[in-house]
Structure formats: C-alpha cells, structure tokens
Amino acid sequence: PRMNVGLLPKRDRKVLKRSQKRPFSTHRAWFGSRPSGIDALFREGAKANSDKDAFTLMDGTIVSDPTALPICSVCDETGLLSACDGIVALHPDEATGDIVDCAVARRTPFVVVPCCVFSRLFPDRVKPSDGKTLVSTYLDLIDWLVAKDPSIRVTRLPFDGANLAVWSAFARP
C-alpha cells in the first residue's frame, strides 16, 4: 500500500494549514476498539523497518508492535477526543454509527462519508420512518444517521459512488 493513502496532497495541506487560525494536525486511530483479524501493516499505515519486528508509522514514529496504533474512545485516558475540534470519517465501515453517536453526544462537529451498510452485522438498525424495517440500503443508512440529531445535514459530493456526506457543525452557544 502507498504510504500517502488518506492524506491530502502536499499543496492542499499547505493551503489548509495557512487558512487555519489554529495549528492543524491529523491523528490516525482506531475508533472504539481495534477489530480482530486486521492487516495492521495496511490498515494502520505502518511499513517495515530495518528491524524486522519494528514498524514506522506515517508520522515517523517507530513502534515495535504494529497493533500499537491508539484507540480513539470517549473513555480514552489520552483525551484524544476531548482535544478534537472535529471528526472526519471517510469510508468508516462498521464504525459509522458509533462515530456519529459520539459526535452527537459530545456536540463535536463532524463529517462522515458512509459507504457500506452491514445490515447483517447491525440488525438493531431500523428505518426511522417505521421503526421496524431493517436498514438495508445506502439511502436507508443515510436516513438512519440523519435521524440521530435534528442538526445533521446531508451534502452530495461531486463524484460517483457513495458520495453523500453526513455532517453537522452543531451550533455553539
């Protein structure tokens, strides 16, 4: 896998950094818990180091355990989420509902571009329109996410495929 997967191009990162009044940074982490059976080298952005048991993350940190990428959780002692100004999740798979729930509970601005529905993994997800029918399509998933808070909006992105961004900036008092 390419080491720049998921990163903005260098020119765009510079423009974004210059437009911010506060310093801008990103942090890769698992949301909620680390799933079992993952390919840590690919999913966690690590590459093999000269020491066969060590890996280098994209930020240059060398770790001896490829499963050492931090867990992003409300209960996390690092306070990662409490220091967050926003949550961005692109193609978050099974974490989609938890990410929106966390953002709504903490009133943290977020944008999620969901993709897969995983109706068999989440039989408790039901359509908000009737409260009985299983969420089984992409548009059902969008409706289910939007129903979590009245401030949540949907924006269509200018590309084909799963191109609906679910977001909220949550009005600040």
Side-chain angles (χ1 to χ4, degrees):
R2 297 184 330 248
M3 294 310 296
N4 62 349
V5 169
L7 294 179
L8 288 171
K10 186 175 181 178
R11 185 190 80 222
D12 293 340
R13 285 195 313 266
K14 285 182 179 180
V15 169
L16 186 59
K17 283 181 183 181
R18 286 184 193 134
S19 70
Q20 303 292 319
K21 293 182 180 178
R22 297 171 45 167
F24 173 77
S25 65
T26 61
H27 186 80
R28 291 183 72 165
W30 289 111
F31 201 90
S33 65
R34 180 177 287 106
S36 60
I38 56 124
D39 179 357
L41 297 181
F42 177 74
R43 297 289 296 226
E44 298 190 7
K47 65 180 179 180
N49 202 333
S50 57
D51 175 0
K52 68 178 183 175
D53 294 325
F55 297 88
T56 305
L57 296 178
M58 290 190 308
D59 65 0
T61 306
I62 296 176
V63 292
S64 59
D65 178 9
T67 62
L69 197 65
I71 303 297
C72 184
S73 169
V74 174
C75 303
D76 188 359
E77 65 277 356
T78 65
L80 183 61
L81 277 180
S82 60
C84 224
D85 288 328
I87 298 172
V88 177
L90 307 174
H91 202 299
D93 288 334
E94 296 96 335
T96 303
D98 291 334
I99 291 167
V100 174
D101 288 341
C102 179
V104 167
R106 299 180 64 81
R107 310 307 283 174
T108 301
F110 75 94
V111 63
V112 173
V113 180
C115 54
C116 306
V117 178
F118 296 105
S119 59
R120 290 185 180 158
L121 289 177
F122 299 102
D124 57 328
R125 290 181 179 174
V126 292
K127 292 182 183 182
S129 58
D130 65 13
K132 295 183 232 173
T133 310
L134 184 68
V135 169
S136 59
T137 69
Y138 179 68
L139 293 178
D140 290 347
L141 177 62
I142 299 297
D143 291 342
W144 180 75
L145 293 169
V146 168
K148 291 181 174 286
D149 191 85
S151 69
I152 296 177
R153 304 289 180 255
V154 177
T155 300
R156 184 174 303 278
L157 302 173
F159 53 82
D160 292 333
N163 62 354
L164 297 178
V166 178
W167 62 276
S168 180
F170 297 112
R172 298 287 182 188

